Amino acid sequence: MPVAQAYAAAPAAWRAKKISAALQKEFPNPQTALHFETPLQLLVAVCLSAQCTDARVNAITPRLFERFPHAQSYAVAQEAEVASYIHSLGLFRNKAKNLVAMAKVLVAEYAAQVPTQRAQLETLPGVGKKTAGVVSMHLGGSLAFPVDTHIARVAGRLGLSQHTHPSKIEMDLQKLFPPQAWKESHLRLLLHGRHRCKAQKPQCEACPLSTWCPRQGLPRSTSL
């Protein structure tokens, strides 16, 4: 068996260490692409990014954040007005409805402040497990390894998880990466999926992870 194939067939825990080191070189200082300055802006931006690119969200949030600077302003707003600021995004009506409902809960139950713990964030309207994990992670709350479509795809192709449900994939990744590195590992896998291991036409020929990647679900023609 060629050396590369032997490495790709090695245990996931061993390969995860190699993958982590390679990604650290490729993305030494990973950052979220979403623009925000406050916890509320982060929460809103992550909620808006569902089924939408970060670039599109960043294009509309400056005006949105200026018009609605705090939770109270969202809480008393009409859904139609909020929708008018985000109409270029997918599912904008539902997102506007959730932003108003979420803000009302923040005002009523959290003194208009964004909670940092994942379990609390998950109780907010429109905030699912992935969104709560991302927000909590960036606010220094709960340790989390939230899984989006990019991370799910990369984890599967790398053979780091055999599952398809985000919660189960997250559990697998949490076992493979040290807790203190979850945030950076999350961001690096996301960036790798977004820029290199794309859903269509993955750049396997130039991938820094090719030595340790079994390319599960991909035809062998994509191998080196």
Side-chain angles (χ1 to χ4, degrees):
M1 179 184 292
V3 174
Q5 291 185 23
Y7 284 163
W14 183 86
R15 289 188 295 104
K17 293 180 180 179
K18 298 294 185 179
I19 288 167
S20 180
L23 288 178
Q24 187 171 0
K25 291 181 180 179
E26 186 170 21
F27 305 107
N29 186 33
Q31 303 290 331
T32 178
L34 292 172
H35 298 165
F36 66 94
E37 295 180 357
T38 68
L40 179 63
Q41 289 181 359
L42 169 64
L43 176 57
V44 170
V46 176
C47 288
L48 294 179
S49 68
Q51 299 186 37
C52 184
T53 65
D54 291 348
R56 178 61 66 88
V57 173
N58 290 336
I60 64 93
T61 48
R63 290 183 63 246
L64 179 72
F65 293 161
E66 181 179 9
R67 171 61 183 85
F68 304 103
H70 42 64
Q72 293 91 335
S73 56
Y74 284 103
V76 299
Q78 296 295 316
E79 293 176 14
E81 183 185 7
V82 177
S84 70
Y85 283 84
I86 63 173
H87 64 87
S88 62
L89 306 182
L91 306 175
F92 73 94
R93 291 188 180 86
N94 192 54
K95 290 177 180 179
K97 178 181 178 181
N98 285 334
L99 288 183
V100 173
M102 177 181 70
K104 290 180 178 179
V105 174
L106 290 177
V107 171
E109 300 184 17
Y110 296 100
Q113 302 301 308
V114 176
T116 62
Q117 297 304 305
R118 189 177 194 175
Q120 293 175 313
L121 287 161
E122 287 186 46
T123 67
L124 300 175
V127 178
K129 188 176 182 65
K130 188 270 289 186
T131 294
V134 171
V135 174
S136 182
M137 178 182 69
H138 283 290
L139 295 183
S142 307
L143 287 175
F145 205 127
V147 173
D148 69 352
T149 55
H150 295 295
I151 293 177
R153 179 176 66 255
V154 171
R157 288 176 176 175
L158 288 172
L160 300 180
S161 177
Q162 302 299 320
H163 295 104
T164 58
H165 192 282
S167 294
K168 292 184 177 181
I169 297 172
E170 179 172 4
M171 291 177 64
D172 287 339
L173 295 176
Q174 287 177 341
K175 296 175 183 176
L176 295 174
F177 296 88
Q180 65 272 20
W182 285 354
K183 177 181 178 180
E184 288 74 18
S185 297
H186 156 87
L187 289 169
R188 287 174 179 137
L189 286 174
L190 187 157
L191 291 170
H192 181 70
R194 181 174 291 166
H195 300 296
R196 185 82 69 181
C197 194
K198 302 177 181 180
Q200 303 295 328
K201 298 182 179 179
Q203 301 172 4
C204 296
E205 71 285 351
C207 180
L209 309 183
S210 59
T211 301
W212 308 285
C213 179
R215 288 174 278 280
Q216 293 191 7
L218 289 172
R220 296 311 299 176
S221 60
T222 61
S223 63
L224 299 179

